[in-house]
Amino acid sequence: MSERASVQADEADADEDEEEQAPVTTGAQSVVRALENAGAEYVFGVQGGAIMPVYDALYDSEIDHVTMAHEQGASHAADAFGIVSGEPGVCFATSGPGATNLVTGLADANMDSDPVIALTGQVPTDFVGNDAFQETDTVGITQPVTKHSYFADDADTVGTEVGEAWALANEGRQGPTLVDLPKDITKGETEIEPAPPKKPDTYDVPEEADDEDVQEAADALAAAQRPVVLAGGGVIKADAADALRDFAFEYEIPVITTMPGIGSFPEDHELSLEWAGMHGTGYANMAITNTDCMLAIGTRFDDRLTGGIDSFAPDADIVHVDIDPAEISKNVHADYPLIGDARATLRQLYDAMPSAPDADEWREQCQEWKAEYPMDYETPDDEPLKPQYVVERFSDLTPDDTIVCTGVGQHQMWASQFWEFTEPRTWVSSHGLGTMGYGAPAAIGAKLAAPDQEVVCFDGDGSFLMTVQELSVAVRENLDITYVVLNNEAVGMVRQWQDAFHEGRRMASEYPWIPEFDKLAEAFGARGFRLEEYDDVEETIQAAREYDGPSVVDAIIDPAENVYPMVPSGGDNGLFALNERHLEQL
Amino acid sequence: MPGPAPDERMRPDGRRNTQGIRIDPEAEVTHEPREAVLSALVKHEPGVLSEVSSLFSRRQFNIESLTVGPTHDDGVARMTIVIEEPQPGIEQAKKQLRKLVPTISVTELDQQNTRRELALIKVSGEKPDDVNAVADMYGGQAVDVTAESVTVELTGSKQKIDAAVGAFEQFDVQEVVRTGTAALERGADTLENDD
Ligand SMILES: Cc1ncc(C[n+]2csc(CCOP(=O)(O)OP(=O)(O)O)c2C)c(N)n1
């Protein structure tokens, strides 16, 4: 229960059966009413002068406010809430520094198409442009990293604008929106109830793809000898994971996911080749390189996925399904562009397929690659703990719907490689922006979105230090989250690249001065564990899981461990390196 | 990890070009940049110009000119954007522009569009008759004349104005202001009905 809710619990009980909502009297109340109308459950934020009227209106609302330690945390928590729930996550910040602290989270949400709505306080309109105390041009700063940023200039319409921002964040290709709220507007009087959330009339959302185009694409797929499906994050966003499964099972086409697409297809299924890209599986990258027809759905062909464009799926006809027309042929030319919602379009394709492709040999080939390039690591007893082992054991011990959050770095890659994902909306990570510090607050948003599911956050020591203060929030809200710091006393991913590409000159990448995270956890009021031995892995994980509240496992891992396979930046997916020697050959 | 080394793995011979288009070994396709005139109706509200120009700069589209002004409809402004890009870049620019919330519609005008630019050119006032004569040649006219200076107004294509500015050099050009290109489709088509 949030702190406001606990203060008010008694009062709330008293007027529980009071159904009728009081009419709005101020812009701020209209803002909160708009969020209520939209169905917002939580707001993540930090107080401040310019946003105070909105908080005052929130005092009377059923919406729970979660006070975060830092606004960056608020934006990441809202982002994760959006990923897990599918509904926009809401974050609040005051003007100036509050608003600028949100920017990283908005940029992150923008890259990953996560639905987020940010409401920021602003100095009164008379002061705007005067370099007033805590003024920044929030709309100007955030415009490039949101779907749209609104500047509210009328108490009568501010609530409707918030509703529009909500609808815009949610519809079509999801993403972040922002409404900047000058203090005189939120304090201003109005009696006008906000209109229900409605997308702007200039924003078009395609539904179904053109039938003729679908037929052509289906014919091409059915005629392929080496077909693959490449499922991106859009499959999850469109709730199309079930449609993808039906399609792939029926036509027996191997499925590769992108990293944001993890969870869209069960990784334990024979047809799954898991995920492709820089640190994706060898078999997924072999299949990408050798396919002759790729059905790519809801992916923006990020360079971490494609490697060098010249060598990406060089033999393939590409069927590209996306709800955002601007994604079609942005990075990779689409031979069969299908503009539409992933779920609807997959159903159309399912119906249009004249037959299953004749691809027995290809499927066998894919299985051979799985045997040739298994995801593997060495676990000698006398060496420090391998991070992969920790992830793998944890995955074995938990239910399928456990939600995994991460920071950014090697630990993120190990989590994605060695956890076995089978369900959508269980993988919560920062992909496009690659934001260190994402994990700790994201786990909070994820847990609140899915209180009945287990949440584990694999973090790096560097990433965790960037937002560790959010532990105080997990403690206050008593959130049952297990943080596992894969502690290599380094910003390991940087160190790995320095060793590989900068002759081992480890400039600013080793962190021998980091705190003992188990003790830090205790200082915050969480449970702390220290893990060093193979023999203790299972017991420690179980103890952390069983603890009812946030716990932190400081897992002291082999600092020399690196992430493989690896496609060097801009390289050829088929030429992934399995070790240092391979890297030198490339 | 076992498995064949990189150079021993199965792989096809194909390639893609930098635009992600598969290269046909018979006829290697590369798209050369060309000029495109985009015309957009946008909501006439504060911040739209910066939203559009920031889109073009962050996406690295090569802008030749961007003009904006009100239309007969109070709530709507019209932008004319001239870019030079390979075909896929032009398509991408249109689609990105369409995505902006204040954008109502976007179209690329065909090559036969009516295209004008306005320039004011201030030159030394020493030889007013000669200045007038050159202005006449380009269909321009003097709009401000003093003992020291003559200001000539000209409209026409970018090329024509470039040429005129060149011709005025002989009179010691002191200042030039140009509006950039404004353009409309020839014939009866309008943006609302052909987007
Ligand atoms: C905010 C931010 N700053 C810098 C980077 C660059 N960076 C990418 S990975 C990485 C190392 C991360 O270290 P850590 O969190 O300890 O994880 P590890 O790689 O050791 O598992 C760094 C510094 C980043 N991604 N994000």
Side-chain angles (χ1 to χ4, degrees):
Chain A
M1 193 184 293
S2 76
E3 79 272 47
R4 196 272 309 149
S6 61
V7 171
Q8 285 228 302
D10 300 338
E11 292 167 47
D13 279 350
D15 45 27
E16 195 148 41
D17 38 15
E18 196 184 19
E19 289 283 302
E20 200 80 337
Q21 286 177 308
V24 305
T25 59
T26 63
Q29 287 179 357
S30 175
V31 166
V32 170
R33 182 61 49 81
L35 292 176
E36 288 168 347
N37 290 348
E41 275 182 273
Y42 289 100
V43 170
F44 304 91
V46 177
Q47 262 281 23
I51 193 77
M52 222 179 281
V54 183
Y55 273 85
D56 190 64
L58 201 59
Y59 194 86
D60 299 319
S61 172
E62 294 290 304
I63 298 175
D64 267 333
H65 181 267
V66 182
T67 302
M68 302 297 289
H70 188 290
E71 290 87 354
Q72 184 187 350
S75 57
H76 293 325
D79 178 287
F81 186 92
I83 294 173
V84 173
S85 72
E87 293 284 309
V90 190
C91 52
F92 279 12
T94 195
S95 64
T100 56
N101 277 348
L102 285 183
V103 173
T104 302
L106 294 176
D108 188 291
N110 198 46
M111 288 287 252
D112 290 351
S113 309
D114 298 331
V116 170
I117 167 168
L119 302 184
T120 47
Q122 182 55 279
V123 301
T125 43
D126 280 355
F127 287 63
V128 168
N130 295 356
D131 298 333
F133 178 65
Q134 293 195 329
E135 184 194 351
T136 49
D137 175 9
T138 302
V139 168
I141 289 174
T142 58
Q143 208 166 50
V145 295
T146 58
K147 280 179 87 170
H148 192 61
S149 292
Y150 295 80
F151 183 83
D153 59 2
D154 190 341
D156 286 343
T157 54
V158 63
T160 299
E161 219 152 31
V162 168
E164 183 174 302
W166 174 287
L168 182 64
N170 207 15
E171 288 189 41
R173 178 178 177 185
Q174 293 180 318
T177 58
L178 178 142
V179 188
D180 201 27
L181 303 165
K183 197 169 182 178
D184 56 324
I185 303 299
T186 49
K187 283 175 76 176
E189 287 179 15
T190 180
E191 287 171 5
I192 298 179
E193 289 287 326
K198 179 173 160 294
K199 70 173 179 60
D201 50 12
T202 51
Y203 183 75
D204 295 323
V205 182
E207 274 300 318
E208 293 213 323
D210 180 82
D211 278 328
E212 260 174 57
D213 294 348
V214 168
Q215 191 59 56
E216 279 180 30
D219 291 344
L221 260 175
Q225 283 159 358
R226 307 190 301 277
V228 294
V229 175
L230 177 68
V235 172
I236 295 168
K237 298 278 149 68
D239 285 324
D242 54 350
L244 170 65
R245 287 159 207 233
D246 291 349
F247 183 86
F249 294 162
E250 177 68 22
Y251 298 109
E252 294 187 88
I253 302 177
V255 178
I256 298 164
T257 74
T258 67
M259 210 170 140
I262 286 175
S264 60
F265 195 75
E267 290 186 339
D268 55 357
H269 192 275
E270 199 184 16
L271 284 170
S272 170
L273 302 177
E274 295 163 59
W275 59 279
M278 182 175 279
H279 293 298
T281 66
Y283 31 103
N285 281 324
M286 286 303 286
I288 286 248
T289 301
N290 289 288
T291 175
D292 65 349
C293 189
M294 173 188 288
L295 169 59
I297 315 161
T299 171
R300 60 191 180 86
F301 293 110
D302 176 88
D303 58 276
R304 280 288 192 274
L305 166 76
T306 61
I309 290 291
D310 61 332
S311 54
F312 179 74
D315 236 12
D317 274 335
I318 294 190
V319 180
H320 190 184
V321 178
D322 208 290
I323 197 154
D324 179 356
E327 285 310 315
I328 305 284
S329 299
K330 184 182 78 179
N331 294 339
V332 174
H333 177 76
D335 302 282
Y336 300 92
L338 299 178
I339 298 165
D341 169 72
R343 187 185 167 89
T345 309
L346 266 165
R347 298 283 185 217
Q348 282 174 285
L349 274 168
Y350 186 101
D351 293 336
M353 288 288 281
S355 61
D358 184 8
D360 287 347
E361 254 176 64
W362 170 244
R363 278 188 299 269
E364 262 166 48
Q365 176 66 69
C366 290
Q367 295 306 322
E368 263 172 49
W369 284 327
K370 278 194 187 179
E372 272 178 357
Y373 306 105
M375 288 307 296
D376 218 354
Y377 59 96
E378 278 175 49
T379 53
D381 293 334
D382 53 348
E383 268 200 35
L385 204 53
K386 295 288 182 185
Q388 299 95 327
Y389 181 79
V390 178
V391 173
E392 210 167 48
R393 284 305 292 140
F394 209 141
S395 176
D396 290 345
L397 292 168
T398 44
D400 279 354
D401 67 351
T402 300
I403 295 170
V404 179
C405 307
T406 73
V408 166
Q410 292 180 313
H411 62 280
Q412 176 190 26
M413 297 304 139
W414 290 318
S416 55
Q417 291 176 332
F418 290 91
W419 193 277
E420 192 170 78
F421 291 91
T422 54
E423 300 295 326
R425 303 192 189 281
T426 57
W427 167 241
V428 180
S429 194
S430 168
H431 303 104
L433 199 67
T435 309
M436 284 172 73
Y438 178 82
I444 292 170
K447 185 69 193 176
L448 288 170
D452 298 334
Q453 286 167 248
E454 269 193 51
V455 174
V456 52
C457 173
F458 289 102
D459 225 331
D461 40 276
S463 286
F464 196 47
L465 271 185
M466 287 200 177
T467 51
V468 68
Q469 65 274 24
E470 303 303 345
L471 214 43
S472 65
V473 179
V475 169
R476 191 194 63 229
E477 300 283 331
N478 193 31
L479 298 178
D480 195 2
I481 298 168
T482 308
Y483 290 96
V484 181
V485 181
L486 297 176
N487 186 348
N488 53 9
E489 294 199 344
V491 282
M493 190 57 101
V494 171
R495 196 221 54 219
Q496 174 170 349
W497 282 46
Q498 287 171 331
D499 288 354
F501 309 115
H502 292 273
E503 292 107 36
R505 290 149 60 92
R506 298 181 172 183
M507 178 70 190
S509 61
E510 288 170 305
Y511 283 16
W513 38 262
I514 49 167
E516 294 174 45
F517 289 107
D518 51 336
K519 292 187 183 158
L520 189 66
E522 299 281 348
F524 274 108
R527 257 325 279 282
F529 299 88
R530 187 177 165 90
L531 173 60
E532 286 178 280
E533 305 285 334
Y534 279 100
D535 286 344
D536 298 338
V537 169
E538 182 165 337
E539 198 184 330
T540 309
I541 290 172
Q542 294 294 30
R545 288 181 64 213
E546 277 158 26
Y547 177 70
D548 182 20
S551 52
V552 177
V553 178
D554 192 4
I556 313 302
I557 59 159
D558 183 354
E561 190 62 19
N562 280 334
V563 181
Y564 284 103
M566 178 181 198
V567 180
S569 190
D572 181 328
N573 282 341
L575 303 183
F576 51 87
L578 297 170
N579 50 44
E580 274 87 18
R581 232 172 347 93
H582 282 173
L583 262 191
E584 281 161 22
Q585 291 167 15
L586 295 178
Chain B
M1 265 181 262
D7 54 355
E8 294 157 16
R9 293 178 197 150
M10 170 176 163
R11 53 175 307 108
D13 302 326
R15 268 328 206 204
R16 289 180 191 273
N17 68 14
T18 50
Q19 289 140 356
I21 301 172
R22 246 176 319 151
I23 293 169
D24 175 356
E26 303 286 291
E28 187 153 324
V29 272
T30 40
H31 291 274
E32 294 305 323
R34 69 172 177 88
E35 192 184 70
V37 181
L38 309 185
S39 194
L41 295 180
V42 297
K43 292 230 168 116
H44 195 195
E45 52 187 34
V48 178
L49 178 59
S50 89
E51 201 169 340
V52 171
S53 58
S54 109
L55 165 74
F56 277 76
S57 73
R58 76 172 183 273
R59 296 269 174 197
Q60 298 275 295
F61 298 126
N62 205 350
I63 293 198
E64 297 288 305
S65 125
L66 190 161
T67 65
V68 57
T71 63
H72 60 291
D73 182 340
D74 280 348
V76 178
R78 184 160 179 141
M79 286 188 183
T80 306
I81 305 157
V82 184
I83 55 172
E84 197 162 313
E85 283 286 327
Q87 186 61 27
I90 293 169
E91 293 306 320
Q92 187 53 213
K94 285 193 266 188
K95 291 191 282 192
Q96 290 291 344
L97 190 51
R98 273 193 198 113
K99 266 170 68 166
L100 298 181
V101 167
T103 303
I104 299 163
S105 62
V106 179
T107 198
E108 181 183 348
L109 303 184
D110 65 29
Q111 304 289 325
Q112 310 314 318
N113 58 71
T114 306
R115 214 190 290 192
R116 292 290 182 274
E117 181 172 332
L118 167 73
L120 296 173
I121 304 164
K122 187 183 284 184
V123 300
S124 150
E126 275 171 27
K127 300 176 184 160
D129 293 345
D130 294 357
V131 171
N132 261 329
V134 174
D136 270 353
M137 269 169 54
Y138 290 95
Q141 57 182 19
V143 290
D144 181 55
V145 182
T146 68
E148 288 84 35
S149 69
V150 179
T151 300
V152 173
E153 174 199 312
L154 276 175
T155 59
S157 68
K158 178 176 175 291
Q159 291 74 6
K160 175 172 145 185
I161 293 188
D162 286 344
V165 173
F168 280 111
E169 294 287 3
Q170 55 180 309
F171 307 116
D172 186 16
V173 174
Q174 289 164 4
E175 276 192 305
V176 176
V177 60
R178 299 171 63 157
T179 59
T181 300
L184 281 183
E185 196 87 70
R186 280 189 197 277
D189 282 349
T190 66
L191 242 190
E192 286 99 323
N193 66 26
D194 64 8
D195 180 44

